[in-house]
Amino acid sequence: MGKLTTHVLDTAHGRPGAGIAIELYKLDGDARQPLKRTVTNDDGRCDEPLLEGDALQAGEYELVFHAGDYFAAAGVRVPEPRFVDHVVLRFGIADVAAHYHVPLLVSPWAYSTYRGS
């Protein structure tokens, strides 16, 4: 059974990104359909898959991570406007039977992602 998962690592402090709000959207051309809103746990992960089983469909998706709010709540001094604020990751799902893991490594100044396992 396929599923979509994520986690966040705070690379500026070398710890999980706990308490980061995440929004998931399904894309259809220029339209964005909201699917889920969640918050990372103390390990920087979601308590359950973002999508799994029949809910995981082939197509394009978007994850929005509210990283700027996380760093502000942690007391990190950053300029306004924030350099990294809402991190938007767009990706495609082709194989609905596969596990798609989309992690975010983030600091107030940079971010990266990859397809994990």
Side-chain angles (χ1 to χ4, degrees):
M1 176 170 52
K3 63 183 174 179
L4 171 64
T5 58
T6 189
H7 77 274
V8 183
L9 297 173
D10 174 347
T11 57
H13 299 100
R15 63 183 180 214
I20 297 179
I22 302 171
E23 298 165 358
L24 173 65
Y25 298 90
K26 177 90 163 67
L27 303 178
D28 185 10
D30 290 334
R32 296 167 71 211
Q33 175 189 2
L35 298 179
K36 189 166 202 165
R37 182 172 171 84
T38 189
V39 176
T40 57
N41 61 23
D42 289 343
D43 195 34
R45 299 178 183 275
C46 300
D47 289 331
E48 60 186 32
L50 298 171
L51 295 172
E52 64 182 326
D54 292 340
L56 184 66
Q57 300 174 0
E60 294 182 80
Y61 291 84
E62 181 178 279
L63 281 168
V64 179
F65 298 85
H66 293 252
D69 293 342
Y70 163 79
F71 287 113
V76 176
R77 292 184 55 204
V78 294
E80 287 294 333
R82 298 167 180 163
F83 185 74
V84 171
D85 193 13
H86 295 99
V87 177
V88 179
L89 302 179
R90 288 191 171 191
F91 58 95
I93 291 180
D95 181 0
V96 297
H99 179 186
Y100 285 80
H101 185 67
V102 184
L104 176 68
L105 289 73
V106 67
S107 81
W109 309 108
Y111 64 88
S112 65
T113 190
Y114 57 94
R115 180 171 175 197
S117 58

